[in-house]
């Protein structure tokens, strides 16, 4: 008897199988409703007015011309706004925000793009036209801090973000072979395709607020808004069914959401604001620039004896954001003497925030480039150096890994890539005008898990319904929830409806940190089991389809219950007992395993670059990766995440840089033409292998999450490949044409 | 985006008599609407000229090719006459923008394309081109994308067109229709150097309309190449580009045409370098010498100094490929890009 | 997961609207539009056709790609009034009688998307490309021709696969003509 309620997750039926997205048809036909295209009756359009300076005071706003424009309903600003309170900004209490300062809170200008007004009009065209007629007068002040990359200032040490084991300074001092290098990474933009968007509607005479937001965390936004508006959480609803991705900048609430909700309440009509791209880039988050110094010490055999990783990143003047670069470093390699430190420096930029693999992707660029430098110094193959220092248990916590196969990732990817054909001599591999460079780097991301609740209904019409207040930001959460329900109930996927992205649903996690899969699926499984218990109770009860049977003898199979040879479908069971549905609730949370094991994914990227030195052209032509993420719940969507991370890594390595004017800290490339990201033509040939070692210590499904890891290490592998081709060590990102020319 | 009155012109004459101030003609709209949205261009009247009969491409009896102002970049790039007789123009067109933009953009509109200088595009910045006398924030700002040739103390903004670089290396005449009738202007004289008056970008009077561009007769038996160097592989403006045509007699250069893009304030014909190439052996030495001549007056600001060696590389490689008459696959692909 | 567009917006009562007659997804339409309204905003805000996306509003990302008389164009840089008498096709016009267009079906099967926001634009460029004999059929030509459509999720590999699969299924002879619904 195969009881699906206790599935054999070593041989799942649906989980781990290629499953086309269940929301795919909505996305492919244009019917998926992203926030910016929603409409409600009586809706107005808001258009923010951004500050054109980065440091100073707003002296006056001349609104007369704008007010006289057709269709203008109201203009909000410091002198015309509701009195509100800030959010406590607590991760633990679920009300963290991306910028604690409220819109129009004071008249000081802290960054270029900071909102100085919000124009609300009947149509989008009218709102935009009027916003351009608002005349703001500023007293600009000198002394804007333009960028971490343009100052010697060290910033403030963050004690809680560093760690030390052993005596790394002494070990470095006595090391036989040393690397001591400093790395700089320019600030990056998330450039998610859908700009931040809010549609706010007050109901019940201003007592109840419904907000549609393009967000990676409906519950965080609800909680924060409740604090800001002094509303009971029950009187707030945040909805986000489709999200044009976020990569971290939609995790927490931004000021535009508050301004939109205030405008809607003060006017008494719903208001929609979609940030224009320029404001999305100035004021909707960025990956802060970083400066990192790495010191590695090793013995002649290549064994690491010391790792010292000191980082500084930017934050804004209105919010403290710490992009901890060294968080993976203590766990990366077996080494007795390791320290990390983290500083932050306040700059006149819009507030930075998490961006895909926050902190670690920057840190791993530095660490894995330093490892390549060490391999060169040792005259050792870089793959061998990594295998030699592979940590068999987590050196940071001393705990055994739940599951780790970095060594297999390294050897498997090296083989598929053809690493053995690499001639280590610099510039030795040529093809016509081009020099071919091979480089590699390891990659990693922690495997976290959060508490979660979910609900599953079995319905008399034969459908199943699963609900969780998490989001699908494009990673495929809708589909894996349906797969989990199908796995446990045996029902067909086409019969399963999934609802996500509403605060009226059971509390679900942020879609971030590669945690959603491991967090949500166990809760969904618990809810499905609870629903099956409920239907068994019905079935064995008086007048039920299996009246008098022992519920323990019933098993879920193919969307029904079986007892021996007899099978009755869920709908028939419910019909028989005159019920419309049964409901199951479930919750799941990480447990004692977190103190017994260390959880982290690892992998390896191998990169081929082709450099045409006579025209200073570098292109990434081939990437071969092996990644161990436990089990991929839906292999195509998981692989897609890694492939997308690799493409983003090409951008980080070669293209992406927010340009702040050195005189006044204004962001001058806040558009999609001047901030360049990879196009189709830049995408290399990509071969991603996902190892299949289910991590059942992490959760019963064996999956560890996959959103971040693909990006980590890519930029380093590119830089290492360029070194192999040219002999020039690039420690600053992006690696521009100027940098290539300077090295030729 | 500010409001404006919209109307359609149904004849060239009709269009050319729209002499009211603050009138902009719209064809593809790819530059105009972009800049109206940014509040950089502020027309009171927008006249749609798409209905005008300016979509023909015809070979004239003297061998020249007359291109109607409204021929789209896509259609021109793929036109059999262009592909067979002016491949350098076809390559340049396909190196520009994206498929969608090339489907919209027109030949005359591309000639009228505005600079991509970020300070020009930002009404809060100082820009002599946008607002005469206001100053130039690019001069000491982030000028990585800016010109090293043809700049002045008032402006160093790059002319961003790829098509125009191809045309510069071919030679052409513009036909203009105005309230006072039709006139012709040499393409080389149409775009102005910024000098003290960067806001005067071209030789087009109020109410005047470009109706056609007539390419000089093709160089017979020329090898050619358009090479565009940029950060990413597609959909980006040039950091440096070069259009080259060479006619060889054995190894000896009989005729040469050379123009640069991405590095100059207007489509940049390199006549001195062309002259220096004629009679020389087509080899790296002569190509490098030509590049040195083409760039001898180049002046860099803080962030654009790299463009001088980069343009030198573009010239040498484009000449080499023009001389070969064939192109390595990897370059062909991206130069189409 | 449901389609959550609540209601059609009303036609704005702006000053100085102009009448626009055009064919949208095979249906003749007459609307009053503001002269400064671009096709993209008219589709999204006035007609409630949210499938065409706004990603940059300046012709820099391709999310707004539609077909105008069969050609892929950026609807953010085209005044709605310029479409007088033209045939406009949006992503909502790709599927016929509830059946996905082969390009849509292949996007589904190849997982040629993640967040789905650039996807309508990618598919509109893809369908135009498959009808355009001037564009090469090899992967490199497809990638170059598709480079006006940014996918920040980076699903490029799968998008190209979906296009090439569609080509194999459609063939030039079987390709459907624009606006012939």
């Amino acid at each position: 008897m195969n009881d699906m309620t206790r599935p054999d997750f070593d041989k799942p039926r649906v989980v781990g199988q290629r499953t086309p997205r269940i929301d795919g048809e909505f996305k492919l036909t244009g019917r998926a409703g992203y926030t910016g295209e929603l409409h409600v009756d009586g809706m107005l359009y808001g258009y923010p007015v951004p500050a054109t300076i980065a440091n100073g005071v707003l002296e006056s706003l001349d609104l007369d011309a704008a007010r006289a424009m057709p269709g203008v309903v109201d203009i909000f600003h410091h002198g015309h706004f509701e009195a509100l309170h800030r959010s406590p900004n607590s991760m633990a209490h679920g009300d963290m925000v991306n910028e604690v300062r409220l819109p129009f809170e004071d008249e000081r200008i802290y960054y270029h793009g900071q909102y100085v007004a919000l124009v609300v009009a009947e149509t989008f065209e009218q709102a935009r036209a009027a916003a351009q007629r608002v005349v703001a007068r500023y007293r600009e002040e000198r002394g804007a801090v333009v960028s971490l990359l343009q100052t010697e200032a060290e910033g403030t040490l963050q004690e809680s973000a560093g760690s030390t084991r052993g005596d790394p300074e002494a070990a470095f001092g006595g090391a036989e072979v040393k690397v001591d290098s400093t790395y700089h990474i320019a600030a990056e933009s998330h450039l998610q395709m859908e700009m931040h968007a809010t549609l706010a509607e007050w109901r019940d005479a201003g007592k109840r607020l419904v907000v549609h937001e393009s967000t990676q965390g409906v519950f965080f936004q609800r909680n924060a808004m409740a604090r800001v508006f002094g509303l009971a959480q029950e009187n707030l609803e945040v909805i986000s069914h489709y999200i044009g991705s976020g990569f971290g900048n939609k995790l927490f609430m931004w000021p535009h959401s508050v301004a939109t909700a205030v405008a809607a309440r003060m006017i008494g009509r719903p208001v929609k604001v979609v940030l224009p791209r320029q404001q999305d880039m100035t004021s909707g988050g960025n990956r802060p620039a970083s400066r990192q110094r790495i010191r590695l010490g090793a013995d002649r055999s290549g064994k690491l004896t010391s790792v010292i990783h000191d980082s500084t990143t930017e934050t804004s003047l209105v919010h403290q954001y710490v992009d901890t670069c060294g968080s993976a470093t203590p766990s990366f390699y077996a080494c007795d003497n390791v320290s990390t430190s983290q500083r932050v420096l306040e700059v006149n930029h819009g507030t930075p925030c998490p961006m895909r693999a926050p902190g670690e992707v920057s840190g791993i660029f530095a660490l894995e480039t330093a490892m390549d430098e060490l391999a060169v110094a040792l005259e050792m193959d870089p793959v061998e150096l990594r295998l030699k220092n592979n940590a068999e248990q987590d050196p940071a916590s001393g705990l055994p890994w739940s599951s780790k196969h970095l060594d297999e990732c390294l050897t498997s990817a090296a083989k598929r890539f053809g690493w053995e054909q690499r001639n280590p001599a610099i510039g030795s591999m040529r093809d016509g005008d081009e020099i071919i460079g091979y480089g590699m780097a390891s990659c990693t991301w922690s495997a976290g898990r959060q508490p979660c609740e979910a609900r599953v209904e079995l319905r008399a019409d034969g459908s199943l319904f699963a609900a969780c207040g998490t989001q699908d930001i494009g990673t495929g959460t809708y589909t894996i929830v349906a797969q989990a329900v199908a796995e446990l109930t045996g029902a067909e996927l086409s019969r399963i409806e999934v609802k996500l992205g509403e605060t009226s649903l059971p509390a679900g996690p942020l879609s971030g940190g590669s945690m959603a899969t491991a967090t949500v699926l166990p809760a969904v499984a618990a809810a499905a089991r609870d629903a099956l218990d409920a239907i068994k109770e019905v079935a064995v009860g008086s007048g039920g389809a299996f009246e008098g049977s022992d519920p323990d003898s019933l098993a879920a199979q193919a969307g029904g219950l079986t007892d021996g040879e007899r099978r009755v479908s869920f709908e028939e069971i419910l019909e028989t007992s005159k019920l419309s549905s049964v409901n199951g609730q479930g919750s799941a949370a990480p447990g004692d395993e977190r103190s017994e094991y260390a959880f982290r994914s690892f992998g390896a990227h191998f990169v081929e670059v082709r450099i045409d030195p006579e025209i200073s052209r570098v292109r990434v032509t081939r990437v071969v990766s092996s990644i161990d993420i436990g089990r991929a719940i839906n292999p195509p969507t998981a692989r897609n995440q890694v492939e997308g991370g690799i493409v983003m890594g090409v951008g980080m390595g070669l293209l992406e840089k927010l340009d702040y004017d050195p005189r006044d800290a204004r962001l001058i490339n806040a558009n999609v033409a001047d901030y360049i990201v990879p196009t189709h033509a830049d995408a290399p040939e990509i071969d991603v292998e996902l190892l299949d070692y289910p991590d059942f210590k992490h959760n019963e499904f064996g999956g560890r999450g996959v959103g971040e890891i693909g990006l980590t290490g890519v930029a380093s592998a590119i830089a290492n490949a360029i070194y192999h081709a040219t002999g020039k060590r690039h420690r600053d990102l992006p690696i521009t044409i100027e940098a290539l020319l300077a090295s030729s | 985006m500010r409001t404006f009155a919209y109307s359609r012109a149904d004849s060239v004459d009709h269009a050319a008599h729209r002499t009211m101030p603050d009138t902009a003609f719209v064809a593809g709209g790819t530059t105009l609407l972009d800049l109206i949205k940014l509040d950089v261009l502020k027309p009171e009247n927008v006249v749609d000229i798409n209905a005008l009969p300016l979509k023909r491409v015809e070979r004239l009896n003297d061998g020249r090719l007359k291109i109607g102002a409204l021929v789209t970049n896509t259609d021109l790039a793929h036109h059999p006459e262009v592909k067979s007789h002016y491949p350098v123009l076809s390559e340049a067109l396909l190196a520009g923008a994206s498929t969608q933009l090339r489907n919209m953009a027109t030949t005359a509109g591309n000639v009228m394309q505005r600079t991509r200088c970020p300070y020009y595009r930002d009404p809060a910045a100082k820009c002599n081109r946008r607002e005469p006398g206001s100053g130039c924030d690019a001069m000491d700002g982030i000028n990585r994308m800016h010109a090293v040739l043809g700049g002045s103390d008032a402006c160093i903004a790059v002319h961003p067109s790829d098509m125009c670089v191809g045309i510069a290396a071919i030679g052409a005449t513009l036909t203009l229709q105005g309230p006072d009738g039709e006139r012709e202007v040499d393409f080389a004289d149409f775009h102005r150097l910024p000098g003290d008056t960067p806001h005067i970008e071209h030789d087009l009077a109020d109410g005047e309309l470009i109706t056609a561009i007539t390419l000089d007769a093709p160089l017979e038996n020329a090898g050619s190449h358009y090479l565009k160097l940029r950060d990413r592989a597609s959909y980006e403006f040039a950091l440096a580009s070069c259009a080259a045509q060479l006619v060889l007699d054995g190894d000896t250069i009989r005729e040469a045409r050379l123009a640069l893009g991405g590095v100059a304030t207007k489509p940049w014909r390199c006549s001195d370098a062309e002259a220096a190439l004629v009679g020389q052996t087509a080899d790296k030495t002569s190509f490098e010498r030509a590049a040195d001549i083409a760039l001898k007056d180049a002046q860099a600001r803080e962030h654009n100094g790299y463009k001088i060696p980069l343009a030198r590389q573009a010239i040498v490689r484009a000449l080499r490929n023009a001389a070969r008459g064939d192109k390595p696959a990897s370059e062909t692909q991206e130069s189409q890009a | 997961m449901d389609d959550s567009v609540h209601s059609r917006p009303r036609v704005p009562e702006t000053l100085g609207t102009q009448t626009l007659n055009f064919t949208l997804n095979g249906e003749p339409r007459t609307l009053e539009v503001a002269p400064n309204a671009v096709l993209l905003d008219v589709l999204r805000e006035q007609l409630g056709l949210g499938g065409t996306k706004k990603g940059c509003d300046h012709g820099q990302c391709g999310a707004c790609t539609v077909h105008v008389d069969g050609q892929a164009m950026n609807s953010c840089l085209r005044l709605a009034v310029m479409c007088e008498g033209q045939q406009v096709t949006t992503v909502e016009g790709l599927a016929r009688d509830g059946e996905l267009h082969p390009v849509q079906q292949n996007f589904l099967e190849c997982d040629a998307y993640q967040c789905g926001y650039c996807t309508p634009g990618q598919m509109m460029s893809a369908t135009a490309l498959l009808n355009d004999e001037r564009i090469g059929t090899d992967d490199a030509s497809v990638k170059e021709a598709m480079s006006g459509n940014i996918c920040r999720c980076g699903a490029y590999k799968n998008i190209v696969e979906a296009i090439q699969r569609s080509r194999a299924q459609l063939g030039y002879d079987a390709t459907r003509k624009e606006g012939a619904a």
Side-chain angles (χ1 to χ4, degrees), chain B residues 1 24-27 29-37 41 43 46, chain C residues 79:
Chain B
M1 171 157 68
F25 296 120
V26 65
T30 55
T31 292
L32 183 70
L33 291 171
D34 175 35
L35 292 175
I36 297 176
K37 285 182 184 184
L41 296 181
V46 170
Chain C
L79 292 174

Side-chain angles (χ1 to χ4, degrees), chain B residues 27-139:
Chain B
T30 55
T31 292
L32 183 70
L33 291 171
D34 175 35
L35 292 175
I36 297 176
K37 285 182 184 184
L38 293 172
D39 219 23
V40 169
L41 296 181
K42 305 174 182 182
E44 300 283 337
N45 300 284
V46 170
V47 178
D48 184 343
I49 57 169
N50 283 294
L52 304 185
L54 304 173
K55 293 172 185 165
R56 286 189 60 189
V57 177
E58 59 181 319
R59 190 85 184 258
L60 304 182
N61 290 336
D62 58 8
R64 297 188 302 154
L65 192 73
K66 185 173 182 182
I67 302 160
L70 293 174
V71 175
T72 66
N73 286 178
T74 298
D75 287 344
L76 188 60
H78 294 295
H79 196 281
E81 288 280 354
V82 175
K83 281 173 80 170
S84 53
H85 297 295
Y86 305 99
V88 73
L89 175 57
S90 183
E91 290 174 18
L93 280 159
L94 292 173
S98 66
T99 305
Q100 296 96 311
L101 290 167
R102 293 192 296 267
N103 286 343
M104 302 168 80
T106 62
T107 308
N110 195 310
V111 170
M112 296 294 289
Q113 196 175 358
R114 305 297 177 114
T115 185
R116 295 290 311 180
C117 172
Y119 301 101
Y120 171 78
R121 293 170 60 80
D122 177 0
K126 295 190 188 83
C127 173
N128 291 319
R129 185 173 290 256
R130 178 170 33 76
E131 202 178 323
S134 64
C136 173
D137 270 347
M139 211 58 76

Side-chain angles (χ1 to χ4, degrees), chain C residues 91-166:
Chain C
V91 68
E92 288 89 349
L94 281 184
R96 299 281 160 83
D97 307 322
E99 196 175 317
L100 294 181
H101 184 284
V103 166
Q104 290 172 309
Q105 189 64 38
N106 283 309
F107 267 63
L108 181 74
E109 287 170 13
C110 296
D111 205 47
Y113 54 172
Q114 289 179 25
C115 78
Y117 198 79
C118 75
T119 311
Q122 299 278 356
M123 294 190 302
M124 297 315 287
S125 283
T127 49
L129 173 156
L130 290 167
N131 276 314
D132 191 340
E133 295 184 28
R134 299 174 298 190
I135 297 172
T137 58
D138 57 301
D139 283 0
S141 297
V142 170
K143 286 166 78 169
E144 167 49 33
M146 289 294 296
S147 282
N149 290 85
I150 304 287
C151 173
R152 184 55 158 164
C153 296
Y156 292 129
K157 176 183 172 177
N158 294 355
I159 294 169
V160 172
E161 187 189 340
I163 293 170
Q164 297 295 46
R165 270 206 213 180
S166 304

Side-chain angles (χ1 to χ4, degrees), chain A residues 438-451:
Chain A
Y438 283 1
M440 58 79 54
S442 294
C443 57
T444 183
W445 182 253
S446 61
R449 209 184 137 177
Q450 299 286 315

